[in-house]
Amino acid sequence: MAARAALCAAGLALSLYAVHVEREAARDPSYRAACDLAPAVSCTRVFGSRWGRGLGLVEPLLGRDSPLNVPNGALGVLFYLLQALLGAVGGRGASTALVATSAASVAASLWLGGVLLWGLGDLCLVCLSTYLINLLLLLINLRPAGGWRDPKQPEGPQKPAGDIRKPERDPQKPPEGPKKT
């Protein structure tokens, strides 16, 4: 699906940018990213916080130096690549994995959005953009393969209202003979 591919490409680009910003800020404390628009609108500050790695959950449990305490941007890279790959594969198993992983990403987005709002008091445009992408991916992944349809409408081709023509014969059934009285 083209929409999924476009969202995955955008999410991948934002995630790679997040990893780049975090690395540059760690290398040079005076680094200012393009997404740093004001003191309270700073993705560099968010990515450099403890919440910018391991969803803010790994460090308190396993320590800052744990190999599992990876940047959230790196988790995003893996997530968007997985979504793109599973979307290209198709099938029931892939569909289930797409829904499960995108639901997990929305849960993580809600968690990190709360941290942004109430914990850090910051506005991270890159973060908010990925949260929106995650929500849109979940909606796409929940969408039936044939698209949304009105559950009140019967499936299959419909005749226009008022069409009084004789219904077409089902090619699978033998033709009916003359009616006996």
Side-chain angles (χ1 to χ4, degrees), residues 76-162:
V77 168
L78 293 175
F79 168 71
Y80 295 116
L81 288 174
L82 179 65
Q83 285 281 305
L85 177 68
L86 290 171
V89 169
R92 176 172 252 134
S95 294
T96 301
L98 282 167
V99 170
T101 56
S102 59
S105 77
V106 168
S109 296
L110 289 171
W111 163 253
L112 292 173
V115 168
L116 275 180
L117 184 62
W118 293 294
L120 295 174
D122 205 327
L123 181 65
C124 171
L125 299 178
V126 171
C127 303
L128 293 175
S129 299
T130 60
Y131 304 162
L132 176 61
I133 290 170
N134 294 345
L135 177 61
L136 293 174
L137 280 170
L138 177 61
L139 293 175
I140 286 172
N141 292 332
L142 286 172
R143 185 174 169 226
W148 299 113
R149 68 174 193 82
D150 183 353
K152 295 176 190 168
Q153 293 292 323
E155 292 187 33
Q158 303 297 311
K159 291 184 354 180

Side-chain angles (χ1 to χ4, degrees), residues 163-177:
D163 188 349
I164 58 170
R165 290 180 289 172
K166 182 178 171 184
E168 293 182 26
R169 184 179 68 77
D170 184 354
Q172 301 296 327
K173 287 179 148 182
E176 291 182 20

Side-chain angles (χ1 to χ4, degrees), residues 17-27 47-48 52-53 71-73:
Y17 181 69
V19 170
H20 166 75
V21 168
E22 185 183 357
R23 281 192 183 160
E24 289 301 311
R27 190 180 60 76
F47 299 152
R53 300 176 77 74
N72 293 345

Side-chain angles (χ1 to χ4, degrees), residues 41-54:
V41 183
S42 171
C43 59
T44 303
R45 190 168 87 90
V46 173
F47 299 152
S49 75
R50 86 171 188 130
W51 304 101
R53 300 176 77 74

